[in-house]
């Protein structure tokens, strides 16, 4: 029986042309014997703009749904996920060689339910910039990400775009948060509130910076909405951390 890693990608029209690069990075992954990947691509909307950019590959499942932003698209994609583990891959990003194999190894450590890895920002001129506050490689104890995030102007020391997670835990938490943005941060904080994670110091993702990405739009940094998003993300994580019996140790 083949073990499967499900890679989930939310996409909309402007980011669809980048799917070719994401696919190339996925095809280049080397997995342990007996493992393969499934790529579940979910369009945030029901247009004719994305399908022409979806590669022809039997391992790819493409779906569409009503516009609800990335968190809704990813959660809808979970309906077609076949793998025991789920990897996030944004349409405009690229995995580095060996990422999925390293993620699989990390999740074999006792009590670890999710992993993240180092990110390099890929700038429009082709240069790359790293983050100077990465934690050391190894386990991330329950609550550590929330503590850092809440005391560093709501900036996490690990990137949710690199998330690799047990599908059962992801489903138990309801998928991604119902927010117009920061839905991936909300999921990361919820995972951190109930379970142990892992950080891999080797670069796992090239995070493309370009004018059309959602995080570069003015609405993303609107002070009122930003404050509301951070408030509900933190409140949910702290509520989960306080619930008796919600700690996941295995």
């Amino acid at each position: 029986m083949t073990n499967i890693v499900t890679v989930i990608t939310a996409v909309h029209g402007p980011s669809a042309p980048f799917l070719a690069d994401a696919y190339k990075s996925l095809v280049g992954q080397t997995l342990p014997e007996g493992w393969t990947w499934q790529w579940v691509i979910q369009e945030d909307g029901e247009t004719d703009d994305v399908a022409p950019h979806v590669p022809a590959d039997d391992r790819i499942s493409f779906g569409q749904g009503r516009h609800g932003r990335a968190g809704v698209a990813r959660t809808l994609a979970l309906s077609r996920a076949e793998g025991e583990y789920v990897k996030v891959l944004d349409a405009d990003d690229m995995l580095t060689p060996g990422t999925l194999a390293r993620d699989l190894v990390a999740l074999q450590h006792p009590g670890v339910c999710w992993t993240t890895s180092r990110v390099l920002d890929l700038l429009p001129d082709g240069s790359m910039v790293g983050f100077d506050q990465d934690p050391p490689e190894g386990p991330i104890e329950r609550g550590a990400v929330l503590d850092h995030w809440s005391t560093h102007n709501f900036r996490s020391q690990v990137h949710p775009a690199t998330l690799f997670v047990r599908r059962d835990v992801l489903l138990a938490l309801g998928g991604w948060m119902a927010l117009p943005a920061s839905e991936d941060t909300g999921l990361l904080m919820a995972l951190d509130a109930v379970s142990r994670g892992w950080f891999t110091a080797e670069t796992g993702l090239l995070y493309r910076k370009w004018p059309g990405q959602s995080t570069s739009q003015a609405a993303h940094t609107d002070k009122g909405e930003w404050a509301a998003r951070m408030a509900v993300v933190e409140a949910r994580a702290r509520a989960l951390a306080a619930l008796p019996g919600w700690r996941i140790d295995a």
Side-chain angles (χ1 to χ4, degrees):
M1 186 177 198
T2 301
N3 296 300
I4 298 172
V5 173
T6 296
V7 180
I8 286 184
T9 296
V11 61
H12 67 331
S15 61
F18 295 118
L19 286 173
D21 286 342
Y23 177 64
K24 184 178 180 180
S25 76
L26 188 51
V27 169
Q29 298 296 305
T30 301
L31 290 171
E33 184 176 354
W35 283 87
T36 190
W37 52 260
Q38 168 205 23
W39 194 14
V40 180
I41 302 172
Q42 182 73 24
E43 180 182 355
D44 178 28
E46 299 170 294
T47 73
D48 297 324
D49 299 333
V50 175
H53 297 279
V54 176
D57 190 316
D58 291 340
R59 295 169 292 182
I60 297 176
S61 169
F62 173 64
Q64 296 175 302
R66 287 184 292 169
H67 174 62
R69 303 193 72 86
V72 171
R74 292 194 199 102
T75 302
L76 280 173
L78 277 174
S79 66
R80 307 196 305 279
E82 300 174 4
E84 180 182 356
Y85 302 118
V86 171
K87 176 70 174 180
V88 175
L89 177 60
D90 288 348
D92 48 4
D93 294 343
M94 291 170 283
L95 303 175
T96 62
T99 296
L100 293 184
R102 291 190 295 272
D103 286 341
L104 281 170
V105 169
L107 249 67
Q108 305 315 306
H109 290 90
V112 171
C113 295
W114 54 272
T115 77
T116 55
S117 58
R118 187 169 188 257
V119 172
L120 291 178
D121 287 344
L122 176 60
L123 305 183
D125 65 0
S127 62
M128 299 182 192
V129 178
F131 182 54
D132 62 359
Q133 297 179 42
D134 288 334
E137 173 148 354
I140 301 174
E141 298 303 328
R142 179 173 171 262
V145 177
L146 177 60
D147 287 345
H148 183 280
W149 178 80
S150 62
T151 56
H152 289 77
N153 196 33
F154 303 107
R155 186 173 187 185
S156 173
Q157 77 273 48
V158 296
H159 206 303
T162 68
L163 184 66
F164 185 88
V165 59
R166 280 173 39 184
R167 182 165 63 101
D168 60 341
V169 178
L170 174 59
L171 287 168
L173 292 172
W176 287 263
M177 286 191 76
L179 292 171
S182 306
E183 75 293 328
D184 53 355
T185 297
L187 172 59
L188 177 64
M189 296 306 151
L191 287 165
D192 173 72
V194 302
S195 60
R196 199 173 188 225
W198 187 275
F199 178 75
T200 299
E202 189 167 348
T203 300
L205 186 76
L206 302 183
Y207 183 85
R208 191 189 304 269
K209 295 282 193 175
W210 61 288
Q213 66 188 143
S214 59
T215 54
S216 69
Q217 307 307 307
H220 185 76
T221 54
D222 176 83
K223 291 183 178 179
E225 183 190 285
W226 181 84
R229 296 197 317 260
M230 299 306 104
V232 73
V233 165
E234 181 171 13
R236 180 198 190 203
R238 297 201 183 282
L240 283 168
L243 284 174
W246 269 68
R247 180 166 184 162
I248 302 171
D249 294 315

